[in-house]
Amino acid sequence: MKVTGKYEDMLRGTPEFPLGFYRVDSSHPNYHMQLHWHVEYEMIHICTGSLTLFLDEETVQCSGGDCILVAGSTLHGATPRGCVYECAVFDTR
């Protein structure tokens, strides 16, 4: 499911190394991940706590140590609970 109004168009890394990496805790402005999508893949690693992850029309409960790969163009978002998580966003094209 693509929702064009939630497209996240952002430059990740550099043309030579197209990777964005984010470590997210409760002080991060995007701690609660709003629903969005992008063409790049995203790997989400849960360091501590728990995270409810929304993937298209599915809901997945994640906890510390889990690692999730989100395919490009997948609508996704998350609600953390006492969570620290890391995201790596990268282009496979």
Side-chain angles (χ1 to χ4, degrees), residues 8 10 24-25 27-34 78 80 85:
E8 183 182 83
M10 159 187 287
V24 182
D25 61 21
S27 67
H28 193 281
N30 294 323
Y31 182 60
H32 292 274
M33 186 189 301
Q34 299 296 313
Y85 61 98

Side-chain angles (χ1 to χ4, degrees), residues 9-20:
D9 185 16
M10 159 187 287
L11 180 62
R12 314 227 188 256
T14 67
E16 297 79 28
F17 193 72
L19 175 100

Side-chain angles (χ1 to χ4, degrees), residues 21-93:
F21 179 79
Y22 314 95
R23 184 169 175 86
V24 182
D25 61 21
S26 60
S27 67
H28 193 281
N30 294 323
Y31 182 60
H32 292 274
M33 186 189 301
Q34 299 296 313
L35 284 173
H36 68 286
W37 69 275
H38 37 74
V39 295
E40 300 89 358
Y41 277 63
E42 183 167 354
M43 184 176 295
I44 303 171
H45 172 246
I46 314 307
C47 301
T48 60
S50 62
L51 187 77
T52 302
L53 185 61
F54 306 98
L55 300 168
D56 281 335
E57 297 179 12
E58 292 185 43
T59 301
V60 179
Q61 299 298 325
C62 308
S63 58
D66 290 347
C67 190
I68 299 92
L69 181 62
V70 180
S73 300
T74 300
L75 182 66
H76 60 286
T79 301
R81 285 179 306 286
C83 187
V84 174
Y85 61 98
E86 300 169 326
C87 300
V89 183
F90 54 96
D91 196 344
T92 60
R93 295 174 286 154

